[in-house]
Amino acid sequence: MLDDMAVKIHRNKYDKMIVLLLTSMAFGNIGGALQVSRLLTILFIPFLVKKSSILRRGYNNYWQFFVFFIGYCLLSLIWTPDKSDGFIHLIYFIIHFLFFFEILIFSNLTENATDSITKGWMFSVSLTLIVALWEIITDNHLSLSAHESERMINTGEAIFQQRFAAVTFYNYNSYVTFLCFALPFVFYRILNIKCDTIAKYTNNSICLNSKINYKNSIIIDIKTSVSDDITDVIYSPL
C-alpha cells in the first residue's frame, strides 16, 4: 500500500523555471538595475507570451489591474518632476509584474506546481540564511546593507549597536518581509518531507490528511501571497 502512496514527482521545463525564478529572489538587490530576478524574468518572456491566453482567461482580474496600473503610471509621467527616473521605475514595475505573471501561468503548466513553488522558496530561504547567520555571528555585512551597521539603539539605560541581518535586501525590514512571504511555503516543504519519511515506516493516515489540508491552504496562500507581493512591489522603493 505504501508503494502505491509513494508517487514519483515528474518535472517539466515550467517546473524548473518556477524554481529558478523563486530561487533568484535570494540575490535580492545584487546587480542594481540588472538584478538576477529581473534578468530571468526577461529571459522567460517568450514562454510567457506563448501562453498568455491562460492569463487573460484564468487571471483576468490581475491582467485588468496590470493594464490599469501601467496606464496610470504612463499618465503620471506628465506631472512627474524627474521624467527619466519615473520612466526607469515604470520599466521596473512592468518587469516585476511579469515575474508574478510568469509564476501564475507556469503554475498551470507544471507537472507539480506546489512542489516546484515550495522548492523554489526553500532554496531561496536556504541561500539567504547562510548569509544571515554570518551577519549575526560576525556583525559583518554585505556592502548593500553596510550603512545599517552604524545604527545604534537607545534603551534609556544603555546605548548599544544593533545586530541584524539584511542579506541582499538593503535593510533588515525588507529581509523580514521576504521571510514572511516565504515561511508558509517552507513550512509546507518541511511537513511534506517529514510525512514522507514517516510514511516509509508506518501507515500514518493522520500525517497524510495533514499534508492534504496544508496543501489546500498553501494553494490559497500562493494566490494571497502573489496579491500581497504585487501590492508590496507597487508601494516599496526599488
Side-chain angles (χ1 to χ4, degrees):
M1 182 176 181
L2 292 178
D3 292 337
D4 295 333
M5 294 171 58
V7 180
K8 185 178 179 180
I9 297 175
H10 298 279
R11 297 181 180 85
N12 57 27
K13 62 182 179 182
Y14 296 104
D15 288 285
K16 295 175 182 177
M17 285 190 283
I18 285 179
V19 173
L20 284 174
L21 283 170
L22 293 174
T23 303
S24 70
M25 294 178 66
F27 297 93
N29 294 296
I30 292 177
L34 300 177
Q35 295 175 11
V36 177
S37 58
R38 290 175 183 164
L39 294 177
L40 279 178
T41 299
I42 295 172
L43 181 65
F44 294 155
I45 285 179
F47 299 96
L48 178 66
V49 173
K50 186 177 180 180
K51 301 294 182 179
S52 60
S53 60
I54 297 176
L55 178 63
R56 293 191 296 271
R57 184 175 66 251
Y59 301 96
N60 195 44
N61 290 338
Y62 289 135
W63 172 250
Q64 290 178 355
F65 178 78
F66 168 73
V67 173
F68 169 79
F69 180 79
I70 297 303
Y72 180 80
C73 287
L74 286 170
L75 182 64
S76 70
L77 291 177
I78 297 175
W79 60 79
T80 300
D82 190 340
K83 289 182 171 54
S84 60
D85 187 62
F87 182 76
I88 291 173
H89 280 75
L90 175 60
I91 298 299
Y92 290 163
F93 283 144
I94 293 175
I95 295 175
H96 292 169
F97 267 108
L98 292 177
F99 177 95
F100 298 122
F101 288 151
E102 286 175 356
I103 296 293
L104 288 172
I105 290 180
F106 296 166
S107 295
N108 286 271
L109 301 169
T110 61
E111 295 292 337
N112 193 316
T114 304
D115 180 78
S116 298
I117 290 172
T118 56
K119 176 173 287 188
W121 278 112
M122 176 66 85
F123 286 162
S124 192
V125 170
S126 298
L127 289 173
T128 63
L129 283 180
I130 296 173
V131 181
L133 290 173
W134 168 76
E135 288 185 90
I136 294 173
I137 295 172
T138 66
D139 200 25
N140 292 315
H141 306 280
L142 300 178
S143 58
L144 289 171
S145 58
H147 62 282
E148 293 281 338
S149 61
E150 299 177 359
R151 180 174 298 182
M152 308 296 289
I153 296 179
N154 188 345
T155 63
E157 297 179 355
I159 298 176
F160 59 92
Q161 192 172 18
Q162 180 183 16
R163 282 182 178 261
F164 68 93
V167 194
T168 58
F169 297 91
Y170 278 139
N171 60 70
Y172 59 86
N173 288 324
S174 297
Y175 182 47
V176 169
T177 301
F178 163 81
L179 290 176
C180 287
F181 286 132
L183 285 179
F185 304 97
V186 174
F187 287 156
Y188 171 81
R189 189 77 191 179
I190 294 173
L191 176 65
N192 191 54
I193 294 173
K194 181 178 179 181
C195 286
D196 285 344
T197 302
I198 294 174
K200 289 181 180 179
Y201 304 100
T202 63
N203 186 5
N204 196 327
S205 59
I206 296 177
C207 186
L208 181 60
N209 289 333
S210 67
K211 284 177 61 178
I212 295 172
N213 292 334
Y214 201 94
K215 181 176 180 179
N216 292 335
S217 66
I218 206 72
I219 291 172
I220 295 173
D221 189 77
I222 289 170
K223 295 181 179 179
T224 305
S225 178
V226 169
S227 300
D228 291 342
D229 282 347
I230 289 176
T231 303
D232 185 63
V233 165
I234 292 171
Y235 294 106
S236 296
L238 292 172

